Amino acid sequence: MALYDSPACIDFILKKTNKDKVTYIGHSLGTTVFYVMSSMRPEYNEKILAHLSLAPVAYLGHMTSIVRLLVPIAPVIYETINTLFHGELLSRSPLLDEALKLFCTLNKAQMIFCQNLIFVIFGKDPDQVKPTIVPAYLGHDPAGASGKTVYHLSQFVRNPNTFRQFDYGSPAENLQHYNSPTPPDYNISAITAKVALIYGQNDLLATEKDVKLLYPQLPNPIGLIRVKFPAFMHQDFILAKDSVPLFANKILQILNSLK
């Protein structure tokens, strides 16, 4: 995604619009993709007017989500996904669609149950995320992920304060890929594009501690912005009913300042 897909999208947009730069707005893993792209393909920094990171994910050592309980068995989960599902996790299928419909959308009690599953994983915010949003949300998410990507993220949790390339599990395998027994860190100092970090203090995945660990390492930071709503959590960036006053207006303000 970071080495090929995002650069291809950026080049396509620039060619179609006849522009020199794009503004990249990412959420969660979308921010991780940007950091990896701009550190490993630094020439793309010149094509970025600014990057706005919503719920930034580089470091995950302080995450408090219930998914942290799965980190110790992440290698087993990874091998199972590879064996049974060809390396794909929760890809959309008629079976998954029907299961989500049966367990989460048929009545209000089911919607409340699945709303609380969202809260356990991402952070609790019943003021912004109502049960009635659950059917629409599950119509789009989960949308599938690479098992390798998820396993890679678990390595960020297992190794606090590190943002490094994929660990293949043994010094010998890492030597084959990196000429080093341990994976190299991503070079954050190579991310020379302007970057603003926008986060919620109730985010169980992209915690305030981890966001603040990243910010001073960025060469060209333009804003460390905490959403002014104490319960604001990870998925509020796509689900919050008051998104405009809580953070969208701030995004527009930043975009207008770049012109």
Side-chain angles (χ1 to χ4, degrees):
M1 290 184 289
L3 295 182
Y4 306 107
D5 295 343
S6 285
C9 290
I10 290 170
D11 288 338
F12 178 83
I13 293 168
L14 292 178
K15 183 178 180 180
K16 283 292 183 180
T17 60
N18 198 30
K19 300 291 185 181
D20 297 324
K21 296 177 182 287
V22 298
T23 301
Y24 184 128
I25 302 177
H27 171 250
S28 192
L29 183 60
T31 72
T32 317
V33 168
F34 175 83
Y35 306 141
V36 175
M37 177 193 72
S38 51
S39 63
M40 296 193 70
R41 298 193 64 177
E43 68 274 16
Y44 274 84
N45 286 284
E46 298 302 318
K47 301 181 181 185
I48 303 297
L49 184 62
H51 169 55
L52 277 59
S53 281
L54 314 180
V57 173
Y59 298 104
L60 286 173
H62 295 93
M63 68 169 287
T64 57
S65 168
I66 195 172
V67 298
R68 191 182 187 100
L69 299 177
L70 299 176
V71 170
I73 60 171
V76 176
I77 296 173
Y78 177 49
E79 290 303 323
T80 302
I81 293 170
N82 285 340
T83 302
L84 298 180
F85 305 107
H86 308 288
E88 296 182 27
L89 178 64
L90 294 176
S91 345
R92 295 307 290 213
S93 68
L95 180 62
L96 177 60
D97 290 343
E98 191 63 24
L100 293 173
K101 178 181 177 181
L102 288 175
F103 286 101
C104 293
T105 68
L106 298 183
N107 55 60
K108 188 173 181 180
Q110 289 184 336
M111 293 179 196
I112 291 173
F113 173 76
C114 291
Q115 174 201 39
N116 280 286
L117 287 181
I118 294 170
F119 291 162
V120 168
I121 296 171
F122 300 110
K124 186 175 182 180
D125 188 2
D127 290 327
Q128 290 299 317
V129 179
K130 300 300 182 182
T132 49
I133 197 67
V134 168
Y137 175 60
L138 294 181
H140 300 275
D141 197 19
S146 160
K148 185 176 181 180
T149 297
V150 175
Y151 185 34
H152 192 184
L153 292 170
S154 78
Q155 295 174 0
F156 294 173
V157 181
R158 195 171 67 243
N159 300 288
N161 306 337
T162 61
F163 181 47
R164 62 180 51 156
Q165 297 185 44
F166 185 81
D167 189 339
Y168 285 89
S170 73
E173 286 191 74
N174 286 329
L175 276 168
Q176 288 183 348
H177 288 88
Y178 308 120
N179 198 30
S180 167
T182 57
D185 291 341
Y186 290 115
N187 183 14
I188 296 176
S189 65
I191 306 173
T192 56
K194 295 177 181 178
V195 178
L197 306 185
I198 307 174
Y199 68 96
Q201 65 188 93
N202 188 38
D203 192 329
L204 301 186
L205 295 178
T207 65
E208 187 169 29
K209 286 184 178 179
D210 286 327
V211 172
K212 288 185 173 180
L213 180 62
L214 171 65
Y215 189 71
Q217 299 180 58
L218 295 166
N220 201 1
I222 60 172
L224 178 64
I225 302 157
R226 183 176 70 185
V227 176
K228 295 180 180 178
F229 188 78
F232 200 87
M233 55 86 167
H234 198 79
Q235 294 300 84
D236 277 335
F237 283 107
I238 56 176
L239 296 176
K241 67 180 181 65
D242 296 321
S243 59
V244 172
L246 287 176
F247 68 90
N249 282 336
K250 185 63 179 179
I251 289 175
L252 292 175
Q253 180 183 341
I254 295 171
L255 293 177
N256 287 330
S257 72
L258 298 172
K259 293 179 180 179

